[in-house]
Amino acid sequence: LDEGKPVLLDLFATWCGPCWSFAETGVFEEFDALYGPNGDNSAFTISIEADPSTPESEFYGGGSSVGDWTSMITHHMADDASGSIADAYALAYYPTIYLICPDRTVTEIGQSGGDFTYWTVETLFEEVFVNTCPAPVEGSNAIIQSYNAELVSCGDVVIEPIVTILNMGTEDMTAC
């Protein structure tokens, strides 16, 4: 995100049939090959096994796993053994797929492009780079990412706000 790249986040469970069906489409692998580190490096794709009760050994099949995930997923993959990611996203079902833009906005995009068919590389490209994440603009482009301060309406109290600024431009910012 700090490099200005959108992140595709697939939260799945090894025992989940719909997760396996989505992985079988290969769309994240194709997308990653074109836009990930081995492509033009403009996006980051990661799949995370988000059920903390699932042992890491089930990545390779066996147990309640529907198959060998290491042969199915070739982009970045991780195990959320602690459950912190599942808790943070309050997962209600698997798979849950999010798009996180460089400005830190998080959008659940699901398994399909809206017409009840799985994503294709083309429709996923449109969602990631055209419809959801704002494109960087030429030059410097400061946006306020967050603002945190208590409102003080009277008295001698000094307000010390915390403002987080993000550059959505193509040039480094040296002052603001």
Side-chain angles (χ1 to χ4, degrees), residues 13-90:
T14 60
W15 46 261
C16 168
C19 301
W20 184 261
S21 295
F22 179 75
E24 282 182 317
T25 69
V27 69
F28 273 22
E29 280 64 38
E30 290 179 52
F31 186 87
D32 189 65
L34 292 170
Y35 306 108
N38 295 321
D40 72 4
N41 203 23
S42 60
F44 185 77
T45 307
I46 186 166
S47 292
I48 299 177
E49 206 295 332
D51 179 359
S53 68
T54 302
E56 186 179 340
S57 61
E58 293 200 11
F59 273 86
Y60 306 98
S64 63
S65 180
V66 295
D68 181 354
W69 291 87
T70 62
S71 67
M72 182 67 64
I73 296 176
T74 58
H75 58 273
H76 291 90
M77 184 169 51
D79 183 21
D80 181 27
S82 69
S84 59
I85 293 172
D87 289 345
Y89 284 92

Side-chain angles (χ1 to χ4, degrees), residues 101-174:
C101 296
D103 68 358
R104 301 331 195 239
T105 56
V106 178
T107 306
E108 183 179 340
I109 63 168
Q111 300 173 53
S112 67
D115 57 2
F116 301 105
T117 59
Y118 285 126
W119 290 109
T120 65
V121 172
E122 294 80 16
T123 59
L124 197 54
F125 175 89
E126 286 290 316
E127 186 68 23
V128 172
F129 295 109
V130 178
N131 297 336
T132 305
C133 293
V137 297
E138 200 63 38
S140 293
N141 181 29
I143 65 168
I144 294 177
Q145 182 178 347
S146 64
Y147 174 82
N148 185 5
E150 291 186 29
L151 179 61
V152 178
S153 57
C154 62
D156 295 357
V157 178
V158 176
I159 300 174
E160 295 182 14
I162 299 171
V163 179
T164 305
I165 296 172
L166 183 67
N167 181 12
M168 292 300 296
T170 57
E171 295 178 15
D172 290 339
M173 288 180 54
T174 57

